[in-house]
Amino acid sequence: MKKRTWEPLGHLEAAVMEVVWARAPVTAREVCDRMTGAEERAYTTIMTTMDRLHRKGLLVREKDGLAWRYAPALGKAEFEKALADGLAAEILHAHGEVALSAFVDATAEVDEGLLDRLAQIIAQRRKGRR
C-alpha cells in the first residue's frame, strides 16, 4: 500500500492545526477563541479553514448540535514525519546523489552528532532488509 503524501500547511492552516492538536476535539468557535494576536481571524475564516483541512484529510469531524467537533486525523509527529518523508523523496527523485550528499552535509552542519544517528538509522534499515 502506498503511503499518503501531505502538502506543507499554509500559515493559517498550521496555526489552526496547532490548536486542534493541543485541544481536540474542538469546534471552530473554540479554535477561533484560542487564536489571539497576529493569529486572530474571523470566525468564518477559521470555520472555512477547518472545513478545508477536513477535506484534505487532516481533520475528522462529527456533528455536535449545530456545530462540527473536529479532531486530528493523525498526530503532529506523525504528520511531520509523513511530510518530511514526502519532501525527502521528492528531492531525492529530482536530484539523486547530489541531494543525498547535500543532506549529509546539512546534517553535519546542524549537529555533528546527527551523523552518528544517521549511521544508526542506516544500519537499522539494512538489518531490517535481511
Side-chain angles (χ1 to χ4, degrees):
M1 188 167 119
K2 188 179 176 198
K3 279 194 224 178
R4 170 105 191 236
T5 57
W6 299 98
E7 294 293 320
L9 299 176
H11 182 74
L12 181 57
E13 290 175 327
V16 167
M17 286 303 298
E18 288 296 334
V19 175
V20 176
W21 278 317
R23 306 244 176 226
V26 292
T27 63
R29 171 58 57 205
E30 292 166 341
V31 171
C32 190
D33 291 346
R34 287 265 171 219
M35 298 180 73
T36 59
E39 300 300 332
E40 192 171 354
R41 297 288 193 284
Y43 167 74
T44 54
T45 301
I46 298 302
M47 190 173 59
T48 300
T49 300
M50 292 179 79
D51 181 64
R52 188 170 55 245
L53 288 166
H54 169 71
R55 283 185 274 119
K56 288 181 176 183
L58 283 166
L59 294 177
V60 295
R61 67 185 182 189
E62 63 180 45
K63 210 59 162 149
D64 184 9
L66 297 176
W68 288 106
R69 190 159 289 278
Y70 292 88
L74 63 167
K76 182 177 180 179
E78 189 180 1
F79 171 73
E80 289 174 342
K81 171 78 166 84
L83 182 62
D85 286 348
L87 292 173
E90 192 176 309
I91 291 167
L92 287 168
H93 234 93
H95 305 286
E97 196 170 316
V98 171
L100 190 58
S101 178
F103 182 76
V104 171
D105 291 346
T107 302
E109 285 179 26
V110 170
D111 181 350
E112 195 71 32
L114 286 175
L115 282 177
D116 294 331
R117 181 66 185 124
L118 182 58
Q120 289 173 342
I121 293 168
I122 291 168
Q124 287 172 343
R125 180 60 55 106
R126 285 187 172 150
K127 196 177 200 178
R129 274 196 267 173
R130 290 183 192 152

